[in-house]
Amino acid sequence: MNIVVTVDENWAIGGGDGLLVQIPADRRNLQRLTAGSIVVMGRKTFQDMQQGAPMYGVSTIVLSENASYSAKGAKTVHSKEELFAALNGDKDKEVYVLGGESIYRLLLAHCDTAYVTMVEKAYAATRYFENLDESGEWKLTEESEEQTYFDMTYYFRKYERR
């Protein structure tokens, strides 16, 4: 499994009710990475990021503890065990975890690669991702040249589990 996440310099991923930043090139990168794959996300991420509709060209699985929740156009599962059972039938496809915070925490240990968009700015935040630079389990293996979007500087990074 793979993780895709956008973080600020403090490894924050969200504040209030949404993402910290939205960068068009980051969205294109996400679409390029996940094309033809399976994406896994929580209910709030699905509702916010996808405006209640699945991404084009991918199979979407929404993980929600709410047993009555059903995501239109996506498969809905209600536990990690149910998720792994659903993924078992599609072993040929890559799997990308797209968040939010609790889904990242739940599935990071099952991932071997993390695609991180690192924004060189600190935001007021309430949700965070594990700092992979401080983790002995992860190694930075690729980094893009500096990217800019208005006044933001950011990098596309790839981390691999040691």
Side-chain angles (χ1 to χ4, degrees):
M1 269 204 279
N2 307 282
I3 290 263
V4 181
V5 63
T6 300
V7 301
D8 77 357
E9 59 192 28
N10 296 316
W11 291 82
I13 61 171
D17 286 335
L19 300 172
L20 296 177
V21 296
Q22 293 191 28
I23 304 168
D26 190 30
R27 178 69 177 187
R28 287 190 300 276
N29 188 54
L30 173 67
Q31 290 171 334
R32 180 188 59 77
L33 279 173
T34 61
S37 68
I38 299 170
V39 296
V40 177
M41 64 188 80
R43 176 189 55 82
K44 290 178 191 171
T45 301
F46 179 76
Q47 290 173 333
D48 294 344
M49 192 172 120
Q50 308 310 328
Q51 294 140 357
M55 291 172 55
Y56 177 77
V58 300
S59 298
T60 303
I61 299 177
V62 177
L63 176 56
S64 173
E65 291 179 341
N66 180 344
S68 64
Y69 179 76
S70 171
K72 184 179 178 180
K75 181 171 185 63
T76 305
V77 296
H78 305 290
S79 68
K80 184 165 74 169
E81 295 74 26
E82 205 177 324
L83 170 65
F84 287 135
L87 292 174
N88 226 2
D90 250 330
K91 292 186 178 190
D92 295 340
K93 290 188 176 182
E94 285 286 323
V95 177
Y96 293 86
V97 178
L98 305 185
E101 182 184 39
S102 62
I103 304 300
Y104 286 138
R105 264 193 258 122
L106 182 69
L107 298 175
L108 182 60
H110 302 281
C111 295
D112 297 318
T113 306
Y115 296 94
V116 178
T117 302
M118 172 64 69
V119 178
E120 287 189 334
K121 192 170 185 173
Y123 293 89
T126 56
R127 293 183 302 284
Y128 293 85
F129 189 81
E130 181 177 330
N131 184 331
L132 300 183
D133 289 328
E134 294 178 357
S135 169
E137 294 182 38
W138 294 88
K139 179 180 180 180
L140 177 62
T141 58
E142 291 179 27
E143 183 174 55
S144 72
E145 293 186 18
E146 179 181 286
Q147 310 289 311
T148 56
Y149 180 65
F150 292 103
D151 65 338
M152 270 186 280
T153 301
Y154 63 96
Y155 299 86
F156 295 119
R157 293 180 170 179
K158 180 179 178 183
Y159 290 82
E160 295 180 81
R161 191 175 293 282
R162 293 180 191 259

